[in-house]
Amino acid sequence: MIETDIDLLKGIANQLRIHSISSTTAAGSGHPTSCCSMADLMAALFFGHMRYDAKNPKYHNNDRFVLSKGHAAPILYAAWAEAGLFPVEELQKLRRIDSDLEGHPTPRLPFADVATGSLGQGLGVGVGIALAGRLDKLDYNTYVLLGDGEIAEGAVWEAASLAGIYKLKNLIAIVDANRLGQSQATAFGHETTVYVNRFKAFGWRVEEVDGHDIEEILEVLSGVGINDQPLAIIAKTYKGGGVSFLQDKDGWHGKPLNKEEAAKAIAELQPTAKSASGVAIPTPSALPAPANATPSSYPPINYKLGDLIATREAYGTALVRIGEADQRIVAMDGDTKNSTYAEKFFKKFPERFTECFIAEQNLVAVAVGFGTRGKVPFASTFATFFTRAFDHIRVAGISMANLKLVGSHVGVSIGEDGPSQMALEDLAMMRAVAGSVVLYPSDAVSAEKLLEVMASTRGIFFLRTSRPKTPVIYGNDEKFPIGGANVVRQNAGDKVTVVGAGVTLHEAIKAADALAKEGIGITVVDAYSIKPIGKDVIKAAAAKTNNLVVTVEEHYADGGLGDAVAGELSSEGVKVHKLAVRELPRSGKAEELLAKFGIDAAAIAKKVKSLV
Amino acid sequence: MIETDIDLLKGIANQLRIHSISSTTAAGSGHPTSCCSMADLMAALFFGHMRYDAKNPKYHNNDRFVLSKGHAAPILYAAWAEAGLFPVEELQKLRRIDSDLEGHPTPRLPFADVATGSLGQGLGVGVGIALAGRLDKLDYNTYVLLGDGEIAEGAVWEAASLAGIYKLKNLIAIVDANRLGQSQATAFGHETTVYVNRFKAFGWRVEEVDGHDIEEILEVLSGVGINDQPLAIIAKTYKGGGVSFLQDKDGWHGKPLNKEEAAKAIAELQPTAKSASGVAIPTPSALPAPANATPSSYPPINYKLGDLIATREAYGTALVRIGEADQRIVAMDGDTKNSTYAEKFFKKFPERFTECFIAEQNLVAVAVGFGTRGKVPFASTFATFFTRAFDHIRVAGISMANLKLVGSHVGVSIGEDGPSQMALEDLAMMRAVAGSVVLYPSDAVSAEKLLEVMASTRGIFFLRTSRPKTPVIYGNDEKFPIGGANVVRQNAGDKVTVVGAGVTLHEAIKAADALAKEGIGITVVDAYSIKPIGKDVIKAAAAKTNNLVVTVEEHYADGGLGDAVAGELSSEGVKVHKLAVRELPRSGKAEELLAKFGIDAAAIAKKVKSLV
């Protein structure tokens, strides 16, 4: 790198600072000082090191950049504008309702693979992107820029550990150690040795740099990929760096400068600032894109009515079947693959499976990362352990991610392991994710068919599987559209419509048999689609039972199936009576617990009788 | 320690193995091999090192023991039985519905401070317990036993980091490195140097031991507290250790032995097994208990109707006011204290405040730990970042914890920061926690009064505060009972009951004013208690408006206020129409976003008109 280039990059860094300051001042909010600390890093990365097509941010060979410290969005936007993707004038629309230049980046922008802003999530996504690159034999690198405050998040260390284990030499973490958090200094300030030692202990090669010395930054970047470890660059920087009255000063987090202050800062920066226009950005390779085509069909299934198969096992079987037809499918699990049955896929396609160990946040982040690269990622663990990753799943919603979550061991029917292993809140959680679809099969056929829907439809899906074996109740050609429901028992003169799913559907069927003997008919509906709920089917069934509905679910009473039905249909005059787990459960046999917590066939029959 | 004592402890270890094997065989499920690996550690801790009153597990000076790898519950139960707390015969009731000896420990047992079983949570709780001991000037130590598999969880490293920062020399982590996970070997196997380096990098003193050498274990334990760092003991062990055909063998995770296998194992162990009966357990100190009394009243408040105060600010004011009267109150935050206003408490009572930095899982774990020691912990951050800690909050529900969470910055009214910072799923999450209470004030008076309720009532509470300033609408003497609601506008002839909370309550009031001018009366209800929902008040109001109800909330449509009302009242024939955020929001001004996503006064008025 020749001397004049360094001066140019220094000038670009100041130009990025100017954009960050002026756009946040125009917006009246934002984090200009968090941008200034990383301006030299950004200039070096975007205009002196990374290989990408600035006009085509989605090009498959581009190096990837994840801004984990999403509050520094203005400088990310400034970099892409300076790279020529859009006019720099657009930057002045920052944070306006009519602009996609939001307060934190989202994939509404073509260069943001994922939404960031909830701290500590970027590195795990980077791990997924790096693994996808390795799988696809592409040579892009993945750069993740983190703040020093955010590496207090455990999710960062889950990701760091896995990157070390899998020797992701195509992953680079850059820590902008600017010493100052939101409400006070970080715990370690500029004692950057702490970060160096941590990344080393997690299996990374580590370099320390002066984050305002572009020559030093470029030198370290030139060593990317030289050994078989991921690389962490710990950059000592100053918050507000480059502006005399902001640099390293307390009290400037998340505050825009007023107009006078902005003018003063810009006057300091302007003399050395340089436009990036005309800078030759290194060209990415021309390796062929992976064949990420959607198959037109899947191999058929062949179950017999009455076969006893747990839906969790049907998941494993289905994933192998669908995975044969669809090369895009990859899977990952958190050391529960022998219980979730993801192991079947692992054994068949080991190269498309990622063991994420006991680290569910990272499990989801890795899946999201794969999803950004055209893969269809299926992440599985016990359903209740996805609560560990709720923030990641929530943000995946903002990322409009292609993400398939499969949670097993739901409800009290898991039995003796007790409440810590029982998913009783997962429906509430997953329903509350933006744009999510929540599916809940009751037999092997519906599990297999719903998995086809998940694999072939873009978006965030959650499949809830059960531990006990349940009988096959559907023919092999049954359809299970999203937002549907199936009437599995209905006779003229039915008094109540009972809506179940999973294990409770079978309890409802048993209740129907028992009640029939007493001359009480009930309609039974399988609500396999929890979100969107199968409202048309349920409404039509309810209309024939005097609008009386009983819901029964292996879930707490709040936010699950009952609320889904009531929330959708109470406005239509449907009267919904909820049977659900209403107290803290405990260990015991599955059938004992279903009875004790009032969601077995007897409880359903009792409730029905109280209503007719 | 004399030679015979070591032999005795070795014998006790085998006795603990026998109990673990026989009880899981009797239960027909469980994790005997995960118990065997840690038997020597348990014998050394419980019968050769820890100071506690075995007849009084809750004694305030007892050393604390947290079994983070909760699946090894049988050996924890065996240790307490051998210590004399209950008859060893009880162990045979393991995992039965009529026994509190559940599959994983819960505080139904007097010696389990918290539920464990969702891995990686014990160390954070230990940090809270250790901090509470320091605050109360008690000299107990806190021992946390972890599996090697579980330290892949990021939550462990959040806790480890904070323990290092606060130099918790009264905290000891013991890692049972038995090499084998659930579905495969751990990533690092017996390469225990990895764990040594990680704990060291996180500020701990680290000792490595042979986890089956009791003499070595005791020697290392004798050094507890010798410097100012927390101590990590990395114990190399064998899963199934001590039983020839189980030791270090794959395929034995979570499997009981059948009767023949159990007999064979016990036959191997029996010759050297020894009862702990009569062992002199070291006596704890006799330091006085902290004065953890509940105050009979709080200082009064003095607001004026119409004062403009954000509920988040009222939280900070209230916490100081209540904290003056109640010494049990402690607070903690995740580097957002200047936004949540916890900073007010920090400034007034710095010694009762714990800065947890950006690590929300640990924030909650630390609070739970304080709660086990008679404190009333208030943990605050942006409401949406509590999603990061959902699994911890869920398990706190199983722990029946005394835990107060306060989440700020809810809904689209936060404005320009965009969706990653907006809580739109927190009500669904917090409603789904066992035994939780969810409160949502709309003005400073209700925020202050609800905080009094939270401080004086045991249990898990969530207070949802808003960013914008809202006018005081209540007198200083208004009461806000749990499960109540307030009718804030009602006239004869009202056509619809509108239920709001927080910012949307004020929008509903504006809508009422606008509609009144058009001759349409609406009743407005403040649903400050989301769980339990104020059903009697809402039902009574609805009864006067032809059972027509509109709910309006700063939350997604699934699992929030609307579902709470519909789920409770649809069975009563109330027709609930939900106004909620139904698509992914974006950055913009608060009022623009309230309008765009259909939850402002105009949207309410429009909805009402469509119904009348």
Side-chain angles (χ1 to χ4, degrees):
Chain A
M1 178 117 313
I2 54 171
E3 192 59 29
T4 50
D5 283 347
I6 300 289
D7 279 345
L8 175 60
L9 291 175
K10 284 182 183 174
I12 293 172
N14 275 352
Q15 189 66 43
L16 297 177
R17 288 185 171 98
I18 290 172
H19 288 316
S20 303
I21 289 167
S22 72
S23 63
T24 49
T25 294
S29 65
H31 303 74
T33 58
S34 302
C35 296
C36 287
S37 63
M38 52 183 273
D40 301 295
L41 293 164
M42 288 295 279
L45 282 165
F46 275 77
F47 302 101
H49 175 76
M50 291 196 324
R51 301 157 302 165
Y52 63 105
D53 178 348
K55 293 290 185 192
N56 182 10
K58 295 203 177 296
Y59 179 49
H60 67 275
N61 283 307
N62 280 359
D63 283 341
R64 312 312 303 169
F65 179 82
V66 179
L67 180 65
S68 190
K69 51 173 286 192
H71 54 286
I75 197 164
L76 176 69
Y77 306 158
W80 281 97
E82 284 289 332
L85 183 65
F86 59 90
V88 293
E89 292 71 29
E90 287 287 311
L91 297 171
Q92 299 302 309
K93 294 187 183 168
L94 180 72
R95 291 176 161 245
R96 277 172 30 183
I97 197 166
D98 59 351
S99 168
D100 287 339
L101 300 173
E102 297 195 66
H104 296 76
T106 81
R108 285 175 177 135
L109 297 161
F111 51 83
D113 287 332
V114 289
T116 51
S118 185
L119 293 170
Q121 300 195 13
L123 194 58
V125 173
V127 169
I129 296 174
L131 284 166
R134 177 183 286 183
L135 179 64
D136 284 339
K137 299 185 171 51
L138 295 177
D139 78 343
Y140 61 80
N141 289 315
T142 302
Y143 298 82
V144 181
L145 199 145
L146 304 95
D148 49 352
E150 79 172 297
I151 63 178
E153 291 284 10
V156 172
W157 301 104
E158 294 182 6
S161 188
L162 204 72
I165 290 166
Y166 292 132
K167 300 188 183 301
L168 295 176
K169 61 185 277 187
N170 56 351
L171 179 66
I172 301 93
I174 302 151
V175 179
D176 173 26
N178 69 20
R179 196 183 71 78
L180 295 174
Q182 173 180 325
S183 76
Q184 64 175 70
T186 61
F188 305 110
H190 268 158
E191 200 190 330
T192 45
T193 318
V194 172
Y195 306 133
V196 172
N197 291 339
R198 290 186 180 186
F199 275 98
K200 279 188 180 165
F202 278 70
W204 291 55
R205 183 164 75 86
V206 188
E207 297 280 1
E208 239 185 312
V209 300
D210 173 348
H212 297 306
D213 183 332
I214 283 181
E215 214 161 349
E216 208 179 313
I217 296 166
L218 287 175
E219 192 183 321
V220 163
L221 286 173
S222 70
V224 164
I226 56 167
N227 75 349
D228 67 352
Q229 288 174 296
L231 170 63
I233 300 171
I234 312 298
K236 189 181 282 190
T237 64
Y238 293 104
K239 203 155 177 169
V243 180
S244 61
F245 60 97
L246 300 176
Q247 181 160 319
D248 207 30
K249 295 279 196 297
D250 273 317
W252 272 105
H253 180 91
K255 274 187 200 164
L257 283 67
N258 67 30
K259 280 185 186 170
E260 293 70 36
E261 291 162 341
K264 191 176 154 200
I266 291 168
E268 266 190 51
L269 296 162
Q270 196 74 69
T272 53
K274 291 192 175 71
S275 162
S277 171
V279 171
I281 292 167
T283 307
S285 74
L287 289 165
N292 283 336
T294 314
S296 55
S297 68
Y298 303 104
I301 59 172
N302 187 17
Y303 289 94
K304 283 204 307 261
L305 289 177
D307 278 355
L308 282 173
I309 299 146
T311 51
R312 62 179 170 134
E313 182 168 1
Y315 162 64
T317 308
L319 196 63
V320 169
R321 178 176 61 89
I322 296 168
E324 300 253 24
D326 191 342
Q327 292 300 312
R328 302 172 307 155
I329 289 178
V330 294
M332 52 281 299
D333 195 287
D335 194 23
T336 58
K337 59 184 178 293
N338 53 341
S339 294
T340 60
Y341 283 92
E343 197 169 56
K344 292 189 180 206
F345 187 87
F346 164 65
K347 286 181 174 166
K348 184 81 179 180
F349 306 109
E351 76 289 352
R352 286 155 64 190
F353 182 87
T354 306
E355 175 57 61
C356 290
F357 302 96
I358 308 175
E360 295 78 11
Q361 297 181 88
N362 198 50
L363 171 67
V364 170
V366 166
V368 168
F370 270 105
T372 67
R373 307 305 293 154
K375 304 302 174 193
V376 182
F378 282 82
S380 53
T381 182
F382 285 22
T384 201
F385 298 146
F386 278 121
T387 57
R388 191 71 68 105
F390 187 18
D391 197 24
H392 287 67
I393 299 168
R394 173 184 82 85
V395 173
I398 302 170
S399 295
M400 297 164 274
N402 197 19
L403 174 67
K404 319 300 172 180
L405 303 176
V406 180
S408 67
H409 289 73
V410 304
V412 298
S413 65
I414 70 155
E416 290 83 351
D417 273 345
S420 66
Q421 318 293 303
M422 297 171 174
L424 290 161
E425 55 291 293
D426 56 317
L427 293 178
M429 173 176 82
M430 289 306 309
R431 289 178 64 227
V433 173
S436 67
V437 174
V438 180
L439 304 172
Y440 188 7
S442 300
D443 78 344
V445 169
S446 50
E448 292 252 16
K449 294 290 181 157
L450 290 172
L451 212 69
E452 293 181 4
V453 172
M454 288 173 77
S456 57
T457 315
R458 203 192 137 79
I460 298 182
F461 282 70
F462 174 60
L463 185 82
R464 191 182 206 232
T465 67
S466 302
R467 182 170 184 268
K469 292 177 193 294
T470 45
V472 169
I473 60 170
Y474 289 113
N476 290 304
D477 294 324
E478 187 81 33
K479 298 270 186 292
F480 297 87
I482 295 171
N486 279 327
V487 176
V488 296
R489 191 69 71 89
Q490 190 172 41
N491 288 295
D494 283 348
K495 300 297 184 195
V496 176
T497 296
V498 177
V499 181
V503 164
T504 62
L505 179 72
H506 298 278
E507 295 299 316
I509 292 169
K510 282 185 227 167
D513 289 340
L515 287 165
K517 288 179 190 153
E518 300 183 50
I520 303 168
I522 61 171
T523 299
V524 177
V525 176
D526 176 7
Y528 66 81
S529 178
I530 302 287
K531 179 189 176 187
I533 189 77
K535 66 176 175 179
D536 295 339
V537 173
I538 299 170
K539 184 180 166 186
K544 295 181 182 170
T545 60
N546 198 27
N547 273 332
L548 271 181
V549 168
V550 171
T551 58
V552 53
E553 61 191 306
E554 279 211 88
H555 192 275
Y556 287 130
D558 304 285
L561 170 62
D563 276 5
V565 175
E568 198 64 55
L569 293 179
S570 97
S571 60
E572 309 272 356
V574 175
K575 296 179 178 181
V576 179
H577 297 262
K578 299 192 291 187
L579 293 179
V581 178
R582 289 187 183 268
E583 56 181 309
L584 185 60
R586 57 190 307 132
S587 293
K589 294 192 200 322
E591 56 276 20
E592 289 173 341
L593 298 174
L594 289 168
K596 181 175 175 68
F597 298 103
I599 53 173
D600 69 347
I604 296 166
K606 186 177 167 195
K607 185 72 183 179
V608 166
K609 286 192 215 170
S610 78
L611 296 174
V612 298
Chain B
M1 177 119 314
I2 55 171
E3 193 58 31
T4 52
D5 283 346
I6 300 290
D7 279 344
L8 175 60
L9 291 175
K10 285 181 180 174
I12 294 173
N14 275 352
Q15 189 65 43
L16 298 177
R17 288 184 171 98
I18 290 173
H19 289 316
S20 302
I21 289 168
S22 72
S23 63
T24 48
T25 294
S29 65
H31 303 75
T33 57
S34 302
C35 296
C36 287
S37 63
M38 54 182 274
D40 301 295
L41 293 163
M42 288 295 278
L45 282 165
F46 275 76
F47 303 101
H49 176 75
M50 291 196 324
R51 302 158 299 165
Y52 64 105
D53 179 347
K55 294 290 186 189
N56 183 10
K58 294 204 177 294
Y59 180 47
H60 68 274
N61 284 307
N62 281 0
D63 282 341
R64 314 311 305 170
F65 179 81
V66 179
L67 180 66
S68 192
K69 52 174 284 193
H71 54 287
I75 197 163
L76 176 69
Y77 305 159
W80 280 97
E82 283 289 333
L85 183 66
F86 58 89
V88 292
E89 292 71 29
E90 288 285 312
L91 297 172
Q92 298 301 309
K93 294 187 183 167
L94 180 73
R95 292 175 160 246
R96 277 172 30 182
I97 196 167
D98 58 351
S99 169
D100 286 340
L101 300 174
E102 297 194 65
H104 295 77
T106 81
R108 285 176 177 134
L109 297 161
F111 52 82
D113 287 333
V114 289
T116 50
S118 184
L119 293 170
Q121 301 197 11
L123 194 59
V125 173
V127 169
I129 295 175
L131 284 166
R134 177 184 283 181
L135 179 64
D136 283 341
K137 300 184 170 53
L138 296 177
D139 78 344
Y140 63 78
N141 288 315
T142 302
Y143 298 83
V144 180
L145 200 145
L146 304 95
D148 49 353
E150 78 172 296
I151 63 179
E153 291 284 11
V156 172
W157 300 105
E158 294 182 5
S161 188
L162 203 71
I165 290 166
Y166 292 132
K167 300 188 184 301
L168 295 177
K169 60 185 279 187
N170 56 349
L171 179 66
I172 301 92
I174 301 153
V175 179
D176 173 25
N178 67 20
R179 198 185 70 79
L180 295 173
Q182 172 179 324
S183 75
Q184 65 174 70
T186 61
F188 305 111
H190 268 158
E191 201 190 329
T192 45
T193 318
V194 172
Y195 307 132
V196 172
N197 290 340
R198 290 185 181 187
F199 274 99
K200 277 187 182 164
F202 279 70
W204 292 55
R205 182 163 79 86
V206 188
E207 297 279 2
E208 238 184 316
V209 300
D210 173 348
H212 298 306
D213 184 332
I214 284 182
E215 215 162 344
E216 209 180 309
I217 296 166
L218 287 174
E219 191 183 320
V220 163
L221 286 173
S222 71
V224 164
I226 57 168
N227 76 349
D228 67 352
Q229 287 175 294
L231 169 64
I233 300 172
I234 312 299
K236 189 182 282 189
T237 63
Y238 293 104
K239 202 154 176 171
V243 180
S244 60
F245 60 97
L246 300 176
Q247 183 160 318
D248 208 28
K249 297 280 195 296
D250 273 317
W252 272 106
H253 181 92
K255 275 188 198 162
L257 284 67
N258 67 29
K259 280 185 186 171
E260 294 69 37
E261 291 162 342
K264 191 177 155 198
I266 291 169
E268 265 191 51
L269 295 163
Q270 196 73 70
T272 52
K274 290 193 175 71
S275 160
S277 170
V279 171
I281 292 166
T283 308
S285 75
L287 288 165
N292 282 337
T294 316
S296 54
S297 68
Y298 303 104
I301 59 172
N302 188 15
Y303 289 94
K304 284 203 307 257
L305 290 176
D307 278 353
L308 281 172
I309 300 147
T311 50
R312 62 180 170 132
E313 181 168 2
Y315 162 63
T317 308
L319 196 63
V320 169
R321 177 176 62 88
I322 295 168
E324 299 254 23
D326 190 342
Q327 292 300 310
R328 301 172 308 156
I329 289 178
V330 295
M332 52 280 298
D333 196 286
D335 194 22
T336 58
K337 59 184 178 290
N338 52 341
S339 294
T340 62
Y341 282 94
E343 196 168 57
K344 292 191 178 202
F345 187 88
F346 164 65
K347 286 184 172 162
K348 184 80 179 182
F349 305 110
E351 75 289 351
R352 286 156 63 191
F353 183 88
T354 305
E355 175 57 61
C356 291
F357 302 98
I358 307 175
E360 296 78 11
Q361 297 181 87
N362 198 49
L363 171 68
V364 171
V366 166
V368 168
F370 270 107
T372 68
R373 309 304 293 154
K375 304 300 174 196
V376 181
F378 281 82
S380 53
T381 183
F382 283 24
T384 202
F385 298 145
F386 278 121
T387 57
R388 190 70 67 106
F390 187 19
D391 196 24
H392 286 68
I393 298 168
R394 172 184 82 86
V395 173
I398 302 171
S399 295
M400 296 164 275
N402 198 19
L403 174 67
K404 319 299 173 183
L405 304 176
V406 179
S408 67
H409 289 72
V410 305
V412 298
S413 65
I414 71 157
E416 289 84 352
D417 272 345
S420 66
Q421 318 293 303
M422 297 170 173
L424 290 161
E425 55 292 292
D426 55 317
L427 293 178
M429 173 176 81
M430 288 306 308
R431 288 178 65 226
V433 173
S436 67
V437 173
V438 179
L439 303 172
Y440 188 6
S442 300
D443 78 343
V445 169
S446 50
E448 292 251 16
K449 294 288 180 160
L450 290 172
L451 212 69
E452 293 181 6
V453 171
M454 289 174 77
S456 57
T457 314
R458 204 192 139 76
I460 298 182
F461 282 72
F462 174 60
L463 186 82
R464 191 181 207 234
T465 67
S466 303
R467 182 171 185 268
K469 293 179 192 293
T470 45
V472 168
I473 59 170
Y474 290 114
N476 290 304
D477 295 323
E478 187 82 31
K479 298 270 186 291
F480 297 87
I482 295 171
N486 280 328
V487 176
V488 298
R489 191 69 69 92
Q490 190 173 39
N491 289 296
D494 283 348
K495 301 295 184 197
V496 176
T497 296
V498 176
V499 181
V503 164
T504 61
L505 178 72
H506 298 278
E507 295 299 317
I509 292 170
K510 283 185 227 165
D513 290 340
L515 287 165
K517 286 177 190 153
E518 300 183 52
I520 302 168
I522 61 171
T523 300
V524 177
V525 176
D526 175 8
Y528 66 81
S529 178
I530 302 286
K531 181 190 174 189
I533 189 76
K535 66 175 174 179
D536 294 340
V537 172
I538 299 170
K539 184 180 165 186
K544 294 182 182 169
T545 60
N546 198 26
N547 273 332
L548 271 180
V549 168
V550 170
T551 57
V552 53
E553 61 192 306
E554 278 210 89
H555 191 275
Y556 287 130
D558 303 285
L561 170 64
D563 276 5
V565 175
E568 198 65 55
L569 293 178
S570 97
S571 62
E572 310 270 358
V574 175
K575 297 180 179 180
V576 179
H577 298 261
K578 298 191 293 188
L579 293 179
V581 178
R582 290 185 183 270
E583 58 181 308
L584 185 60
R586 58 191 305 133
S587 293
K589 294 192 201 325
E591 56 276 20
E592 289 173 340
L593 298 174
L594 289 168
K596 180 174 177 67
F597 297 103
I599 53 172
D600 69 345
I604 297 166
K606 185 177 169 198
K607 184 73 184 175
V608 165
K609 284 192 215 167
S610 78
L611 295 174
V612 299

